[in-house]
Coordinates of all heavy atoms in Angstrom, one line a residue:
D1 N -80.3 -73.2 -180.1 CA -79.8 -72.8 -181.4 C -80.8 -72.0 -182.1 O -81.9 -72.5 -182.3 CB -79.4 -74.1 -182.1 CG -78.8 -73.8 -183.5 OD1 -78.3 -72.7 -183.7 OD2 -78.9 -74.7 -184.4
T2 N -80.5 -70.8 -182.4 CA -81.4 -69.8 -183.0 C -81.9 -70.4 -184.3 O -83.1 -70.2 -184.6 CB -80.8 -68.5 -183.2 OG1 -80.3 -68.0 -181.9 CG2 -81.7 -67.4 -183.7
L3 N -81.1 -71.0 -185.1 CA -81.5 -71.5 -186.4 C -82.6 -72.5 -186.2 O -83.6 -72.5 -187.0 CB -80.3 -72.1 -187.2 CG -80.6 -72.7 -188.5 CD1 -81.3 -71.7 -189.5 CD2 -79.4 -73.3 -189.2
T4 N -82.4 -73.4 -185.3 CA -83.4 -74.5 -185.1 C -84.7 -73.9 -184.6 O -85.8 -74.3 -185.1 CB -82.9 -75.5 -184.0 OG1 -81.7 -76.0 -184.5 CG2 -83.9 -76.6 -183.8
I5 N -84.7 -72.9 -183.7 CA -86.0 -72.2 -183.3 C -86.6 -71.6 -184.5 O -87.8 -71.8 -184.7 CB -85.7 -71.2 -182.2 CG1 -85.2 -71.9 -180.9 CG2 -86.9 -70.3 -181.9 CD1 -84.6 -71.0 -179.9
N6 N -85.9 -70.8 -185.3 CA -86.5 -70.2 -186.5 C -87.0 -71.2 -187.5 O -88.0 -71.1 -188.1 CB -85.5 -69.3 -187.2 CG -85.3 -68.0 -186.4 OD1 -86.1 -67.5 -185.7 ND2 -84.1 -67.5 -186.6
F7 N -86.2 -72.3 -187.6 CA -86.7 -73.4 -188.5 C -88.0 -73.9 -188.1 O -88.9 -74.0 -189.0 CB -85.6 -74.5 -188.5 CG -86.1 -75.8 -189.2 CD1 -86.0 -75.9 -190.6 CD2 -86.5 -76.9 -188.5 CE1 -86.4 -77.0 -191.2 CE2 -86.9 -78.0 -189.1 CZ -86.9 -78.1 -190.5
Y8 N -88.2 -74.2 -186.9 CA -89.5 -74.7 -186.5 C -90.6 -73.7 -186.5 O -91.8 -74.1 -186.6 CB -89.4 -75.4 -185.1 CG -88.8 -76.8 -185.2 CD1 -87.5 -77.0 -184.7 CD2 -89.5 -77.8 -185.9 CE1 -87.0 -78.3 -184.9 CE2 -88.9 -79.1 -186.0 CZ -87.7 -79.3 -185.5 OH -87.1 -80.5 -185.7
N9 N -90.3 -72.4 -186.5 CA -91.3 -71.4 -186.7 C -91.9 -71.4 -188.1 O -93.0 -71.1 -188.3 CB -90.8 -70.0 -186.4 CG -90.6 -69.8 -184.9 OD1 -91.3 -70.4 -184.1 ND2 -89.7 -68.9 -184.5
H10 N -91.0 -71.8 -189.1 CA -91.4 -71.8 -190.5 C -91.8 -73.2 -191.0 O -92.6 -73.4 -191.9 CB -90.3 -71.3 -191.4 CG -90.0 -69.9 -191.1 ND1 -90.9 -68.9 -191.6 CD2 -89.0 -69.3 -190.5 CE1 -90.4 -67.7 -191.2 NE2 -89.2 -67.9 -190.6
F11 N -91.3 -74.3 -190.4 CA -91.5 -75.6 -190.8 C -93.0 -76.0 -191.0 O -93.4 -76.5 -192.0 CB -90.8 -76.6 -189.9 CG -91.0 -78.0 -190.3 CD1 -90.3 -78.6 -191.4 CD2 -91.8 -78.9 -189.6 CE1 -90.4 -79.9 -191.7 CE2 -92.0 -80.2 -189.9 CZ -91.3 -80.7 -191.0
P12 N -93.9 -75.7 -190.0 CA -95.3 -76.0 -190.1 C -96.0 -75.3 -191.2 O -97.1 -75.6 -191.6 CB -95.9 -75.7 -188.8 CG -94.7 -75.5 -187.8 CD -93.6 -75.1 -188.7
A13 N -95.4 -74.2 -191.7 CA -96.1 -73.4 -192.7 C -96.0 -73.9 -194.2 O -96.5 -73.3 -195.1 CB -95.5 -71.9 -192.6
F14 N -95.2 -75.0 -194.4 CA -95.2 -75.5 -195.7 C -96.6 -75.9 -196.2 O -97.2 -76.7 -195.6 CB -94.3 -76.8 -195.8 CG -92.8 -76.4 -196.0 CD1 -92.0 -76.4 -194.9 CD2 -92.3 -76.2 -197.2 CE1 -90.7 -76.0 -195.1 CE2 -91.0 -75.9 -197.4 CZ -90.1 -75.8 -196.3
R15 N -97.0 -75.3 -197.3 CA -98.3 -75.6 -197.8 C -98.3 -76.7 -198.8 O -97.3 -77.0 -199.5 CB -98.8 -74.3 -198.6 CG -99.1 -73.2 -197.6 CD -99.6 -71.9 -198.4 NE -98.7 -71.5 -199.4 CZ -97.6 -70.7 -199.2 NH1 -97.3 -70.3 -198.0 NH2 -96.9 -70.3 -200.2
N16 N -99.3 -77.5 -198.8 CA -99.5 -78.6 -199.7 C -98.4 -79.7 -199.5 O -98.0 -80.4 -200.4 CB -99.5 -78.2 -201.2 CG -100.6 -77.2 -201.4 OD1 -101.7 -77.4 -200.9 ND2 -100.3 -76.2 -202.2
A17 N -97.8 -79.8 -198.3 CA -96.8 -80.8 -198.0 C -97.5 -82.0 -197.5 O -98.4 -82.0 -196.8 CB -95.8 -80.3 -197.0
V18 N -97.0 -83.1 -198.1 CA -97.5 -84.5 -197.7 C -96.3 -85.3 -197.3 O -95.3 -85.3 -198.0 CB -98.3 -85.2 -198.8 CG1 -98.8 -86.5 -198.4 CG2 -99.4 -84.3 -199.3
Y19 N -96.3 -85.8 -196.1 CA -95.2 -86.5 -195.5 C -95.3 -88.0 -195.7 O -96.4 -88.6 -195.4 CB -95.0 -86.2 -194.1 CG -94.7 -84.7 -193.9 CD1 -95.7 -83.8 -193.7 CD2 -93.4 -84.3 -194.1 CE1 -95.4 -82.5 -193.6 CE2 -93.1 -82.9 -194.0 CZ -94.1 -82.0 -193.8 OH -93.8 -80.7 -193.7
Y20 N -94.3 -88.6 -196.3 CA -94.3 -90.1 -196.6 C -93.0 -90.6 -196.1 O -92.0 -89.9 -196.1 CB -94.5 -90.4 -198.1 CG -95.8 -90.1 -198.6 CD1 -96.1 -88.9 -199.2 CD2 -96.9 -91.1 -198.5 CE1 -97.4 -88.7 -199.8 CE2 -98.1 -90.8 -199.0 CZ -98.4 -89.6 -199.6 OH -99.6 -89.4 -200.1
S21 N -92.9 -91.9 -195.9 CA -91.7 -92.6 -195.7 C -91.3 -93.2 -197.1 O -92.1 -93.4 -197.9 CB -92.0 -93.8 -194.7 OG -90.9 -94.6 -194.6
V22 N -90.0 -93.4 -197.2 CA -89.5 -93.9 -198.5 C -90.1 -95.3 -198.8 O -90.3 -95.7 -200.0 CB -88.0 -94.0 -198.5 CG1 -87.4 -95.1 -197.6 CG2 -87.4 -94.2 -199.9
E23 N -90.6 -96.0 -197.8 CA -91.2 -97.3 -198.0 C -92.6 -97.2 -198.7 O -93.1 -98.1 -199.2 CB -91.4 -98.1 -196.7 CG -90.1 -98.5 -196.0 CD -89.5 -97.4 -195.2 OE1 -90.2 -96.4 -194.8 OE2 -88.3 -97.5 -194.9
D24 N -93.1 -95.9 -198.7 CA -94.4 -95.7 -199.3 C -94.3 -95.2 -200.8 O -95.2 -94.5 -201.3 CB -95.2 -94.6 -198.5 CG -95.4 -95.0 -197.1 OD1 -95.6 -96.2 -196.8 OD2 -95.3 -94.2 -196.2
S25 N -93.2 -95.6 -201.5 CA -93.0 -95.0 -202.8 C -94.1 -95.3 -203.8 O -94.4 -94.5 -204.6 CB -91.7 -95.5 -203.3 OG -91.6 -96.9 -203.4
L26 N -94.7 -96.5 -203.7 CA -95.9 -96.8 -204.6 C -97.0 -95.9 -204.3 O -97.7 -95.4 -205.2 CB -96.3 -98.2 -204.5 CG -95.3 -99.2 -205.1 CD1 -95.7 -100.7 -204.9 CD2 -95.1 -98.9 -206.6
E27 N -97.3 -95.6 -203.1 CA -98.4 -94.6 -202.7 C -98.1 -93.2 -203.2 O -98.9 -92.5 -203.7 CB -98.5 -94.6 -201.2 CG -99.7 -93.9 -200.7 CD -99.9 -93.9 -199.2 OE1 -99.4 -94.9 -198.6 OE2 -100.6 -93.0 -198.7
V28 N -96.8 -92.8 -203.1 CA -96.4 -91.5 -203.6 C -96.6 -91.5 -205.1 O -97.1 -90.5 -205.7 CB -94.9 -91.2 -203.3 CG1 -94.4 -89.9 -204.0 CG2 -94.7 -91.1 -201.8
L29 N -96.2 -92.5 -205.8 CA -96.4 -92.6 -207.3 C -97.9 -92.5 -207.7 O -98.2 -91.7 -208.6 CB -95.8 -93.9 -207.9 CG -96.0 -94.1 -209.4 CD1 -95.3 -93.0 -210.2 CD2 -95.5 -95.5 -209.8
K30 N -98.7 -93.2 -207.0 CA -100.2 -93.1 -207.3 C -100.7 -91.7 -207.0 O -101.5 -91.1 -207.8 CB -100.9 -94.0 -206.4 CG -100.8 -95.5 -206.7 CD -101.5 -96.4 -205.8 CE -101.2 -97.8 -206.0 NZ -101.8 -98.7 -205.0
K31 N -100.2 -91.0 -206.0 CA -100.7 -89.7 -205.7 C -100.2 -88.7 -206.8 O -101.0 -87.9 -207.2 CB -100.1 -89.2 -204.3 CG -100.5 -87.8 -203.9 CD -101.1 -87.8 -202.6 CE -101.5 -86.4 -202.2 NZ -102.9 -86.1 -202.2
V32 N -99.0 -88.7 -207.2 CA -98.5 -87.8 -208.2 C -99.0 -88.1 -209.6 O -99.1 -87.2 -210.4 CB -97.0 -87.6 -208.2 CG1 -96.5 -87.1 -206.8 CG2 -96.3 -88.9 -208.5
Q33 N -99.4 -89.3 -209.8 CA -100.0 -89.7 -211.2 C -101.4 -89.1 -211.3 O -101.8 -88.9 -212.4 CB -100.0 -91.2 -211.3 CG -98.7 -91.8 -211.7 CD -98.8 -93.3 -211.8 OE1 -99.5 -93.9 -211.1 NE2 -98.0 -93.8 -212.7
Q34 N -102.0 -88.7 -210.2 CA -103.4 -88.1 -210.3 C -103.4 -86.8 -210.9 O -104.3 -86.4 -211.5 CB -104.0 -88.0 -208.9 CG -104.3 -89.3 -208.2 CD -104.7 -89.2 -206.8 OE1 -104.7 -88.1 -206.2 NE2 -105.0 -90.3 -206.1
N35 N -102.3 -86.0 -210.8 CA -102.1 -84.7 -211.5 C -100.7 -84.5 -211.8 O -99.9 -83.9 -211.1 CB -102.7 -83.6 -210.5 CG -102.8 -82.3 -211.3 OD1 -102.4 -82.2 -212.4 ND2 -103.4 -81.4 -210.6
K36 N -100.3 -84.9 -213.0 CA -98.9 -84.8 -213.5 C -98.5 -83.3 -213.8 O -97.4 -83.0 -214.0 CB -98.7 -85.6 -214.7 CG -98.7 -87.1 -214.5 CD -98.3 -87.9 -215.7 CE -98.3 -89.4 -215.4 NZ -97.9 -90.1 -216.6
K37 N -99.5 -82.4 -213.8 CA -99.2 -81.0 -214.0 C -98.7 -80.3 -212.8 O -98.1 -79.2 -212.9 CB -100.4 -80.3 -214.6 CG -100.9 -80.8 -215.9 CD -102.1 -80.0 -216.4 CE -102.5 -80.6 -217.8 NZ -103.7 -79.9 -218.3
V38 N -98.8 -80.9 -211.6 CA -98.3 -80.3 -210.4 C -96.9 -80.6 -210.1 O -96.5 -81.8 -210.2 CB -99.2 -80.7 -209.2 CG1 -98.7 -80.2 -207.9 CG2 -100.6 -80.3 -209.4
P39 N -96.0 -79.6 -209.9 CA -94.6 -80.0 -209.6 C -94.5 -80.7 -208.3 O -95.2 -80.4 -207.4 CB -93.9 -78.6 -209.6 CG -94.9 -77.6 -209.7 CD -96.3 -78.2 -209.9
V40 N -93.5 -81.6 -208.2 CA -93.3 -82.4 -207.0 C -91.9 -82.1 -206.5 O -90.9 -82.2 -207.3 CB -93.4 -83.9 -207.3 CG1 -93.0 -84.7 -206.1 CG2 -94.8 -84.3 -207.9
V41 N -91.8 -81.6 -205.3 CA -90.5 -81.3 -204.7 C -90.4 -82.3 -203.5 O -91.2 -82.3 -202.6 CB -90.4 -79.9 -204.2 CG1 -89.1 -79.6 -203.5 CG2 -90.6 -78.9 -205.3
L42 N -89.3 -83.1 -203.5 CA -89.1 -84.1 -202.4 C -88.0 -83.6 -201.6 O -87.0 -82.9 -202.0 CB -88.7 -85.4 -203.0 CG -89.8 -86.0 -203.9 CD1 -89.3 -87.2 -204.7 CD2 -91.0 -86.4 -203.1
F43 N -88.1 -83.9 -200.3 CA -87.0 -83.5 -199.3 C -87.0 -84.5 -198.2 O -88.0 -85.2 -198.0 CB -87.2 -82.1 -198.8 CG -88.6 -81.8 -198.1 CD1 -88.8 -82.1 -196.8 CD2 -89.6 -81.3 -198.9 CE1 -90.0 -81.9 -196.2 CE2 -90.9 -81.1 -198.3 CZ -91.1 -81.4 -197.0
N44 N -85.9 -84.6 -197.5 CA -85.8 -85.4 -196.3 C -86.0 -84.6 -195.1 O -85.7 -83.5 -195.0 CB -84.4 -86.0 -196.3 CG -84.1 -86.9 -197.4 OD1 -84.9 -87.7 -197.8 ND2 -82.9 -86.8 -198.0
T45 N -86.7 -85.3 -194.1 CA -86.8 -84.6 -192.8 C -85.8 -85.3 -191.8 O -84.9 -84.6 -191.3 CB -88.2 -84.7 -192.2 OG1 -88.7 -86.0 -192.3 CG2 -89.1 -83.8 -193.0
V46 N -85.9 -86.5 -191.6 CA -85.0 -87.2 -190.6 C -84.2 -88.3 -191.3 O -83.1 -88.7 -190.8 CB -85.7 -87.7 -189.4 CG1 -86.2 -86.6 -188.5 CG2 -86.8 -88.6 -189.7
N47 N -84.7 -88.9 -192.3 CA -84.0 -90.1 -193.0 C -83.5 -89.6 -194.3 O -83.5 -88.5 -194.7 CB -85.0 -91.3 -193.1 CG -85.3 -91.8 -191.7 OD1 -84.5 -91.9 -190.8 ND2 -86.6 -92.2 -191.5
S48 N -83.2 -90.6 -195.1 CA -82.8 -90.3 -196.5 C -83.7 -91.0 -197.5 O -84.6 -91.7 -197.1 CB -81.3 -90.7 -196.7 OG -81.2 -92.1 -196.5
G49 N -83.5 -90.8 -198.7 CA -84.3 -91.5 -199.8 C -85.0 -90.6 -200.7 O -85.5 -91.1 -201.8
A50 N -85.1 -89.3 -200.4 CA -85.8 -88.4 -201.3 C -85.2 -88.3 -202.7 O -85.9 -88.2 -203.7 CB -86.0 -87.0 -200.6
A51 N -83.9 -88.2 -202.7 CA -83.2 -88.1 -204.0 C -83.4 -89.3 -204.9 O -83.7 -89.2 -206.1 CB -81.7 -87.9 -203.8
E52 N -83.4 -90.5 -204.3 CA -83.6 -91.7 -205.0 C -85.1 -91.8 -205.4 O -85.4 -92.2 -206.6 CB -83.3 -92.9 -204.1 CG -81.8 -93.1 -203.8 CD -81.3 -92.2 -202.7 OE1 -82.1 -91.5 -202.1 OE2 -80.1 -92.3 -202.4
L53 N -86.0 -91.3 -204.6 CA -87.4 -91.3 -204.9 C -87.7 -90.4 -206.1 O -88.5 -90.7 -207.0 CB -88.3 -91.0 -203.7 CG -89.8 -91.1 -203.9 CD1 -90.2 -92.5 -204.4 CD2 -90.5 -90.7 -202.6
A54 N -87.0 -89.2 -206.1 CA -87.2 -88.3 -207.2 C -86.7 -88.9 -208.5 O -87.4 -88.8 -209.5 CB -86.4 -87.0 -206.9
E55 N -85.6 -89.6 -208.5 CA -85.1 -90.2 -209.7 C -86.1 -91.3 -210.2 O -86.4 -91.5 -211.3 CB -83.7 -90.8 -209.4 CG -83.1 -91.4 -210.7 CD -81.7 -91.9 -210.4 OE1 -81.2 -91.8 -209.3 OE2 -81.1 -92.5 -211.3
W56 N -86.6 -92.1 -209.2 CA -87.5 -93.2 -209.5 C -88.8 -92.7 -210.1 O -89.3 -93.2 -211.1 CB -87.8 -94.0 -208.3 CG -88.6 -95.2 -208.5 CD1 -88.3 -96.4 -209.1 CD2 -90.0 -95.3 -208.1 NE1 -89.3 -97.2 -209.1 CE2 -90.4 -96.6 -208.5 CE3 -90.9 -94.5 -207.5 CZ2 -91.7 -97.1 -208.3 CZ3 -92.2 -95.0 -207.3 CH2 -92.6 -96.3 -207.7
L57 N -89.4 -91.6 -209.5 CA -90.6 -91.0 -210.1 C -90.4 -90.5 -211.5 O -91.2 -90.6 -212.3 CB -91.1 -89.9 -209.2 CG -91.7 -90.3 -207.8 CD1 -92.0 -89.1 -206.9 CD2 -92.9 -91.1 -208.0
S58 N -89.2 -89.9 -211.7 CA -88.9 -89.4 -213.1 C -88.9 -90.5 -214.1 O -89.3 -90.4 -215.2 CB -87.5 -88.6 -213.1 OG -87.6 -87.4 -212.3
S59 N -88.3 -91.7 -213.6 CA -88.2 -92.8 -214.5 C -89.6 -93.4 -214.8 O -89.8 -94.1 -215.8 CB -87.3 -93.9 -213.9 OG -87.9 -94.6 -212.9
K60 N -90.6 -93.1 -213.9 CA -91.9 -93.6 -214.1 C -92.8 -92.6 -214.9 O -94.0 -92.8 -215.0 CB -92.6 -93.9 -212.8 CG -91.9 -94.9 -212.0 CD -92.0 -96.3 -212.6 CE -91.4 -97.4 -211.8 NZ -91.4 -98.6 -212.5
G61 N -92.2 -91.6 -215.5 CA -92.9 -90.6 -216.3 C -93.5 -89.4 -215.7 O -94.2 -88.7 -216.3
I62 N -93.1 -89.2 -214.4 CA -93.6 -87.9 -213.8 C -92.7 -86.8 -214.3 O -91.5 -86.8 -214.1 CB -93.5 -88.1 -212.2 CG1 -94.3 -89.3 -211.8 CG2 -94.0 -86.8 -211.5 CD1 -95.8 -89.3 -212.2
P63 N -93.3 -85.8 -214.9 CA -92.5 -84.8 -215.6 C -91.7 -83.7 -214.8 O -90.7 -83.2 -215.2 CB -93.5 -84.1 -216.6 CG -94.8 -84.3 -215.9 CD -94.7 -85.6 -215.1
D64 N -92.3 -83.3 -213.7 CA -91.7 -82.2 -213.0 C -91.4 -82.6 -211.5 O -92.1 -82.2 -210.6 CB -92.6 -81.0 -213.0 CG -92.0 -79.7 -212.5 OD1 -90.8 -79.7 -212.2 OD2 -92.7 -78.7 -212.5
V65 N -90.3 -83.3 -211.3 CA -89.9 -83.8 -210.0 C -88.5 -83.2 -209.6 O -87.6 -83.2 -210.4 CB -89.7 -85.4 -210.0 CG1 -89.3 -85.8 -208.6 CG2 -91.0 -86.0 -210.4
S66 N -88.5 -82.6 -208.4 CA -87.2 -82.0 -208.0 C -86.9 -82.6 -206.6 O -87.8 -83.0 -205.9 CB -87.4 -80.5 -207.8 OG -87.7 -79.9 -209.1
Y67 N -85.6 -82.5 -206.2 CA -85.2 -82.9 -204.9 C -84.6 -81.7 -204.2 O -83.7 -81.0 -204.8 CB -84.2 -84.0 -205.0 CG -83.4 -84.3 -203.7 CD1 -84.1 -84.7 -202.6 CD2 -82.1 -84.1 -203.7 CE1 -83.4 -84.9 -201.4 CE2 -81.4 -84.4 -202.5 CZ -82.0 -84.8 -201.4 OH -81.4 -85.0 -200.2
L68 N -85.0 -81.3 -203.0 CA -84.5 -80.2 -202.3 C -83.2 -80.6 -201.6 O -83.1 -81.3 -200.6 CB -85.5 -79.7 -201.2 CG -85.1 -78.5 -200.4 CD1 -84.9 -77.3 -201.3 CD2 -86.2 -78.2 -199.4
V69 N -82.1 -80.3 -202.2 CA -80.7 -80.6 -201.8 C -80.5 -79.9 -200.4 O -80.7 -78.7 -200.3 CB -79.7 -80.3 -202.8 CG1 -78.3 -80.6 -202.3 CG2 -79.9 -81.0 -204.1
G70 N -79.9 -80.6 -199.5 CA -79.5 -80.0 -198.2 C -80.6 -80.1 -197.2 O -80.4 -79.5 -196.1
N71 N -81.7 -80.7 -197.4 CA -82.7 -80.9 -196.4 C -83.4 -79.6 -196.1 O -83.0 -78.5 -196.6 CB -82.1 -81.5 -195.2 CG -83.1 -82.4 -194.4 OD1 -84.2 -82.0 -194.3 ND2 -82.6 -83.5 -193.9
L72 N -84.3 -79.6 -195.2 CA -85.0 -78.4 -194.8 C -84.2 -77.4 -194.0 O -84.5 -76.2 -194.1 CB -86.3 -78.7 -194.1 CG -87.4 -79.5 -194.9 CD1 -88.5 -79.9 -194.1 CD2 -87.8 -78.6 -196.1
Y73 N -83.3 -77.9 -193.2 CA -82.4 -76.9 -192.5 C -81.7 -76.0 -193.4 O -81.7 -74.8 -193.1 CB -81.4 -77.7 -191.6 CG -82.0 -78.3 -190.4 CD1 -82.2 -79.7 -190.3 CD2 -82.4 -77.6 -189.3 CE1 -82.7 -80.3 -189.2 CE2 -83.0 -78.1 -188.2 CZ -83.1 -79.5 -188.1 OH -83.7 -80.1 -187.0
Y74 N -81.1 -76.5 -194.5 CA -80.4 -75.6 -195.4 C -81.3 -74.7 -196.2 O -81.0 -73.6 -196.5 CB -79.5 -76.4 -196.3 CG -78.4 -77.1 -195.6 CD1 -78.2 -78.5 -195.6 CD2 -77.5 -76.4 -194.8 CE1 -77.2 -79.1 -194.9 CE2 -76.5 -77.0 -194.1 CZ -76.3 -78.3 -194.1 OH -75.3 -78.9 -193.5
F75 N -82.6 -75.2 -196.4 CA -83.5 -74.3 -197.1 C -83.8 -73.1 -196.2 O -83.9 -72.0 -196.6 CB -84.8 -75.1 -197.4 CG -86.0 -74.2 -197.9 CD1 -85.9 -73.7 -199.1 CD2 -87.0 -73.9 -197.0 CE1 -87.0 -72.9 -199.6 CE2 -88.1 -73.1 -197.5 CZ -88.0 -72.6 -198.7
H76 N -84.1 -73.4 -194.9 CA -84.4 -72.3 -193.9 C -83.1 -71.4 -193.8 O -83.3 -70.2 -193.7 CB -84.8 -72.9 -192.6 CG -85.1 -71.7 -191.6 ND1 -86.2 -71.0 -191.8 CD2 -84.4 -71.2 -190.6 CE1 -86.2 -70.1 -190.8 NE2 -85.1 -70.2 -190.1
E77 N -82.0 -72.0 -193.8 CA -80.8 -71.2 -193.7 C -80.7 -70.2 -194.9 O -80.3 -69.0 -194.8 CB -79.5 -72.1 -193.6 CG -78.2 -71.3 -193.5 CD -77.0 -72.2 -193.4 OE1 -77.1 -73.3 -193.8 OE2 -76.0 -71.7 -192.9
Y78 N -81.0 -70.7 -196.1 CA -81.0 -69.9 -197.3 C -82.0 -68.7 -197.2 O -81.7 -67.6 -197.4 CB -81.4 -70.8 -198.5 CG -81.6 -70.0 -199.8 CD1 -80.5 -69.5 -200.5 CD2 -82.9 -69.6 -200.2 CE1 -80.7 -68.8 -201.7 CE2 -83.1 -68.9 -201.3 CZ -82.0 -68.4 -202.0 OH -82.2 -67.7 -203.2
I79 N -83.2 -69.0 -196.7 CA -84.2 -67.9 -196.7 C -83.8 -66.9 -195.6 O -84.1 -65.8 -195.7 CB -85.7 -68.4 -196.5 CG1 -85.9 -69.2 -195.2 CG2 -86.1 -69.3 -197.7 CD1 -87.3 -69.5 -194.9
S80 N -83.2 -67.4 -194.5 CA -82.8 -66.5 -193.4 C -81.7 -65.6 -193.9 O -81.7 -64.4 -193.6 CB -82.3 -67.3 -192.2 OG -83.4 -68.0 -191.6
N81 N -80.7 -66.2 -194.5 CA -79.5 -65.4 -195.0 C -79.9 -64.4 -196.1 O -79.2 -63.4 -196.3 CB -78.4 -66.4 -195.6 CG -77.8 -67.2 -194.5 OD1 -77.8 -66.8 -193.3 ND2 -77.1 -68.2 -194.8
N82 N -81.0 -64.7 -196.8 CA -81.4 -63.8 -197.9 C -82.6 -62.9 -197.5 O -83.2 -62.3 -198.4 CB -81.7 -64.6 -199.1 CG -80.4 -65.2 -199.7 OD1 -79.6 -64.4 -200.3 ND2 -80.2 -66.4 -199.5
G83 N -83.0 -62.9 -196.2 CA -84.0 -62.0 -195.8 C -85.4 -62.4 -196.3 O -86.2 -61.5 -196.6
L84 N -85.7 -63.7 -196.6 CA -86.9 -64.1 -197.2 C -87.9 -64.7 -196.2 O -88.9 -65.4 -196.6 CB -86.6 -65.1 -198.3 CG -85.7 -64.6 -199.4 CD1 -85.3 -65.7 -200.3 CD2 -86.4 -63.5 -200.2
E85 N -87.7 -64.5 -194.9 CA -88.6 -65.2 -193.9 C -90.0 -64.8 -194.1 O -90.9 -65.6 -194.0 CB -88.1 -64.8 -192.5 CG -86.8 -65.4 -192.1 CD -85.7 -64.4 -192.3 OE1 -85.8 -63.5 -193.1 OE2 -84.6 -64.6 -191.6
E86 N -90.3 -63.5 -194.3 CA -91.7 -63.0 -194.4 C -92.3 -63.7 -195.7 O -93.4 -64.2 -195.6 CB -91.7 -61.5 -194.6 CG -93.2 -61.0 -194.6 CD -93.2 -59.5 -194.7 OE1 -92.3 -58.8 -194.2 OE2 -94.2 -59.0 -195.3
K87 N -91.6 -63.7 -196.8 CA -92.1 -64.3 -198.0 C -92.4 -65.8 -197.8 O -93.4 -66.3 -198.3 CB -91.2 -64.0 -199.2 CG -91.7 -64.4 -200.5 CD -90.7 -64.1 -201.6 CE -91.3 -64.4 -203.0 NZ -90.3 -64.1 -204.0
A88 N -91.5 -66.5 -197.1 CA -91.6 -67.9 -196.9 C -92.8 -68.2 -196.0 O -93.3 -69.3 -196.0 CB -90.3 -68.5 -196.4
S89 N -93.2 -67.3 -195.1 CA -94.2 -67.5 -194.1 C -95.6 -67.2 -194.6 O -96.6 -67.4 -193.9 CB -93.9 -66.8 -192.9 OG -92.7 -67.2 -192.3
R90 N -95.7 -66.5 -195.8 CA -97.0 -66.1 -196.2 C -98.0 -67.3 -196.3 O -97.6 -68.4 -196.8 CB -96.9 -65.4 -197.6 CG -96.4 -64.1 -197.5 CD -96.6 -63.3 -198.8 NE -95.6 -62.3 -198.9 CZ -94.9 -62.0 -199.9 NH1 -95.1 -62.6 -201.1 NH2 -93.9 -61.1 -199.9
K91 N -99.2 -67.1 -196.0 CA -100.2 -68.1 -196.0 C -101.1 -68.0 -197.3 O -102.1 -68.6 -197.4 CB -101.2 -67.9 -194.8 CG -100.5 -68.0 -193.5 CD -100.3 -69.4 -193.0 CE -99.7 -69.4 -191.7 NZ -98.9 -70.5 -191.3
T92 N -100.6 -67.3 -198.3 CA -101.4 -67.1 -199.5 C -101.1 -68.2 -200.5 O -100.2 -68.9 -200.5 CB -101.1 -65.7 -200.2 OG1 -99.7 -65.7 -200.5 CG2 -101.6 -64.6 -199.3

């Protein structure tokens, strides 16, 4: 599947990504409380729970929390359909 191949070409390039399991929600809260000025974008890779975690973090006073709807596959589909692969792959 061409989409999957392209997806994995871009997937490792996510900068400042930290991977957690939903069971690590307290650890995630501690990490984002260290710098509340940094936006937090949550997404799922293979399981679910990112939307719930985003809501929970917001309820704990984290001001800029978002959830990437549609998982990373749909994000990659969006950048592919809109010709944004080069911009998404920049290392700057």
Side-chain angles (χ1 to χ4, degrees):
D1 181 25
T2 305
L3 178 60
T4 302
I5 292 169
N6 285 332
F7 171 77
Y8 282 111
N9 285 334
H10 295 286
F11 180 76
F14 275 96
R15 293 178 303 278
N16 302 319
V18 180
Y19 296 93
Y20 290 97
S21 170
V22 71
E23 293 85 16
D24 301 324
S25 57
L26 289 177
E27 189 176 336
V28 173
L29 177 61
K30 288 177 189 175
K31 177 125 179 108
V32 298
Q33 282 177 328
Q34 292 172 0
N35 190 352
K36 290 185 178 181
K37 294 180 182 179
V38 174
V40 176
V41 179
L42 300 168
F43 56 87
N44 296 317
T45 52
V46 292
N47 293 322
S48 60
E52 292 83 358
L53 185 57
E55 184 177 357
W56 183 76
L57 289 172
S58 293
S59 76
K60 297 295 182 187
I62 305 303
D64 192 0
V65 180
S66 303
Y67 167 61
L68 183 59
V69 176
N71 211 323
L72 292 176
Y73 283 107
Y74 293 121
F75 172 75
H76 182 73
E77 182 178 20
Y78 171 81
I79 64 170
S80 293
N81 289 342
N82 290 285
L84 301 171
E85 293 95 337
E86 183 179 331
K87 187 175 182 180
S89 296
R90 283 191 207 141
K91 304 274 187 208
T92 59

